Amino acid sequence: MHLSDKKATLSFSDGSAPIDFPVYQGTVGPDVIDIRKLYGQTGMFTYDPGFMATAACESAITFIDGDKGQLLYRGYPIDQLATNCDFMDVSYLILNGDLPNAAQKTEFDSLVTHHTMVHEQLHFFLRGFRRDAHPMAVLTGLVGAMAAFYHDSTDITNPRHREVSAIRLIAKMPTLVAMAYKFSQGQPSIYPQNNLSYTGNFVRMMFANPCEDYQVNEVVERALDRIFILHADHEQNASTSTVRLCGSSGTNPFAAIAAGVACLWGPAHGGANEACLQMLEHLQANGGVEKVGEFMQQVKDKTSGVRLMGFGHRVYKNYDPRAKLMQQTCKEVLAALGLEKDPLFKLAMELERIALEDPYFVERKLYPNVDFYSGIVQRAIGIPTSLFTAIFALARTVGWIAQWNEMLSDPDYKIGRPRQLYTGSAVRDVAKRR
Ligand code: SDX
């Protein structure tokens, strides 16, 4: 970042002396007012619940232009990455800042492939859960439990340790997600197969069984690989901010990523894809397209508490570019699997059409986000609804660990500790007790 010629001046109506604050500019996007000296100079805090106008850090990984509906990973537009690269290319890019050349790609693929197995004790840890536990509860536990097994890569001040734990987390997430799924099905876990691609290996661990050979379906592999790319990183969203804040205390990477998994689970965030599919299935079972008008009335009635899941975004005030790519993937996968008449996809398209014409949505700039179509694609390729957010966590792990590493690589980083506006009781004495 570099210092702008502009300064920001804070003046007070009570005649106190105005104060100047430096303004910094990034490569692209909004400038920032550096208010780090505000409290020292005024004794006051800023107030910004939900961080609507707060830049919590400097980052070079991902940029979103919400008005244009643009998403860049290390400067590359998401649509170009989704059509010209695979998830391992994009993971290397997000971690290292550039796309890999052929030799780097081969080495990175091999490094990740040879870390996909988990410690055998984790299979016993898994058995402690109920079979009907939500996969995100299991995944939060399994990722946190990794801290109990990989003591040789938890020194966060050691860049080599940070690199090893990044590879371990990216490599083992598919194995852990597949383990959680197989456990819920009462089936044995399928071990990783090193001659398969990252995503092909995940598909096999999900759908193979020990009793017969399994051939990875290329349509499914390609669709999932694109879903991973579209979910890989997204600036300082709630779960990434959780990973940064948790990691800023100096805790180990496995604990910090487990915190990110826990945060992503919420229906306002990564849990929206599961909630969106449940919304579509409920609508489909209760009148389908004919009842969309009635449903939209509920959505617009604030007292109903009903939201159009998969719509709206804190940053995008235009179409989420990932939603466009996901809709395209939806069409390709449904056609390839002979499911183009999928009623849920038709219902989703009708909901989108109506919403994009409705003043309520237009005035509030509410467009489909990444979660609106991802559930339909995942359902079409056989992923159970309850696993959608775990798939999101699998993909977002590379973004979380890259952002965590970026924070720890800054020698000036500090533990995050926000302040507050206190509105509780003034000091008071405990009355004499009997
Ligand atoms: C993800 O941050 C990220 O980058 C997240 C993510 C990532 O990749 O990490 O992109 C992934 O989390 C995508 C978002 C998934 N969530 C949903 O689809 C759930 C439904 N959407 C919302 O709940 C909501 O839109 C949020 C949470 C996504 C954004 O909420 P904001 O920015 O706090 O906006 P808001 O709740 O203040 O809404 C502004 C207005 C309100 O109406 P008014 O009070 O102005 O009259 O829009 C309305 C809201 O009631 N509104 C909706 C709506 N979303 C917002 N009304 C109906 N349906 C919706 N979905």
Side-chain angles (χ1 to χ4, degrees):
M1 69 183 179
H2 63 269
L3 192 57
S4 158
D5 304 339
K6 255 186 310 195
K7 282 199 302 289
T9 301
L10 182 61
S11 60
F12 298 90
S13 54
D14 63 359
S16 311
I19 301 171
D20 287 345
F21 294 96
V23 172
Y24 288 101
Q25 286 173 320
T27 314
V28 67
D31 293 352
V32 296
I33 300 170
D34 181 347
I35 54 153
R36 283 176 284 190
K37 293 194 167 36
L38 176 77
Y39 179 55
Q41 292 181 332
T42 68
M44 286 192 270
F45 299 140
T46 59
Y47 184 64
D48 186 17
F51 309 116
M52 307 284 277
T54 294
C57 64
E58 175 185 350
S59 179
I61 299 173
T62 296
F63 177 73
I64 303 168
D65 183 323
D67 294 329
K68 280 194 218 160
Q70 183 188 51
L71 168 59
L72 309 176
Y73 290 162
R74 300 284 190 178
Y76 291 107
I78 189 68
D79 55 321
Q80 293 183 30
L81 292 171
T83 40
N84 298 306
C85 302
D86 69 17
F87 182 61
M88 285 292 97
D89 292 320
V90 171
S91 296
Y92 184 96
L93 169 70
I94 287 173
L95 284 171
N96 300 299
D98 272 311
L99 284 165
N101 59 34
Q104 289 162 336
K105 173 73 185 297
T106 305
E107 186 193 358
F108 186 73
D109 276 1
S110 170
L111 197 55
V112 171
T113 296
H114 292 90
H115 280 84
T116 47
M117 249 194 351
V118 295
H119 193 292
E120 196 62 12
Q121 286 297 104
L122 277 169
H123 290 276
F124 302 122
F125 181 85
L126 178 64
R127 288 193 197 126
F129 288 98
R130 287 171 42 144
R131 293 272 177 180
D132 62 353
H134 193 286
M136 286 300 277
V138 176
L139 192 63
T140 307
L142 287 173
V143 175
M146 285 175 74
F149 291 93
Y150 299 111
H151 297 105
D152 60 344
S153 65
T154 52
D155 173 3
I156 58 151
T157 62
N158 180 335
R160 178 70 187 132
H161 278 215
R162 294 205 301 267
E163 189 189 333
V164 168
S165 32
I167 294 295
R168 277 179 164 150
L169 278 155
I170 293 165
K172 297 178 194 309
M173 276 306 249
T175 310
L176 296 176
V177 172
M179 280 166 63
Y181 172 60
K182 285 300 198 186
F183 183 71
S184 73
Q185 301 300 301
Q187 290 184 12
S189 294
I190 298 293
Y191 283 79
Q193 191 90 42
N194 289 354
N195 62 345
L196 295 173
S197 74
Y198 181 89
T199 305
N201 188 34
F202 175 64
V203 173
R204 182 178 171 279
M205 291 191 286
M206 280 287 295
F207 300 120
N209 68 59
C211 312
E212 56 201 3
D213 289 342
Y214 181 84
Q215 188 59 40
V216 172
N217 176 320
E218 281 186 10
V219 172
V220 172
E221 179 179 1
R222 206 169 39 250
L224 263 178
D225 198 78
R226 177 171 293 182
I227 287 172
F228 293 166
I229 290 173
L230 296 179
H231 287 82
D233 194 50
H234 213 238
E235 286 192 2
Q236 307 310 316
N237 58 84
S239 53
T240 298
S241 300
T242 300
V243 169
R244 278 181 174 258
L245 190 57
C246 183
S248 73
S249 74
T251 190
N252 70 77
F254 307 107
I257 299 299
V261 174
C263 174
L264 187 74
W265 191 1
H269 189 15
N273 50 21
E274 178 179 358
C276 182
L277 201 88
Q278 285 160 350
M279 171 190 78
L280 291 171
E281 286 174 334
H282 176 77
L283 253 178
Q284 186 60 26
N286 294 279
V289 176
E290 286 69 48
K291 290 286 184 184
V292 166
E294 203 178 297
F295 173 72
M296 293 304 249
Q297 287 313 319
Q298 267 192 310
V299 168
K300 294 188 282 187
D301 168 9
K302 285 266 183 311
T303 60
S304 75
V306 173
R307 284 209 160 181
L308 184 55
M309 300 312 279
F311 256 73
H313 199 277
R314 174 63 58 77
V315 179
Y316 289 119
K317 300 309 170 193
N318 197 325
Y319 212 106
D320 182 335
R322 302 169 298 176
K324 269 204 183 82
L325 289 158
M326 200 64 85
Q327 187 193 75
Q328 181 194 324
T329 305
C330 226
K331 284 181 182 152
E332 289 164 10
V333 169
L334 293 174
L337 298 178
L339 300 169
E340 45 278 66
K341 298 222 181 334
D342 180 343
L344 282 195
F345 184 55
K346 285 189 178 325
L347 179 60
M349 299 276 280
E350 181 60 7
L351 266 175
E352 174 186 333
R353 184 189 65 76
I354 293 173
L356 295 185
E357 291 168 357
D358 187 311
Y360 176 94
F361 288 83
V362 174
E363 284 154 18
R364 292 167 178 80
K365 299 186 176 179
L366 300 175
Y367 291 87
N369 59 50
V370 68
D371 293 308
F372 192 59
Y373 289 102
S374 70
I376 301 171
V377 187
Q378 293 183 72
R379 177 175 169 272
I381 58 182
I383 308 273
T385 308
S386 64
L387 208 74
F388 290 174
T389 311
I391 300 273
F392 192 153
L394 184 168
R396 185 54 59 88
T397 295
V398 63
W400 285 332
I401 203 73
Q403 299 265 356
W404 168 83
N405 195 41
E406 182 178 64
M407 173 182 74
L408 294 177
S409 307
D410 171 359
D412 299 333
Y413 93 88
K414 293 182 182 320
I415 184 168
R417 206 280 187 212
R419 304 303 298 271
Q420 63 177 16
L421 173 68
Y422 177 67
T423 54
S425 297
V427 63
R428 53 183 171 161
D429 297 322
V430 174
K432 284 275 169 289
R433 316 292 288 168
R434 58 197 169 295

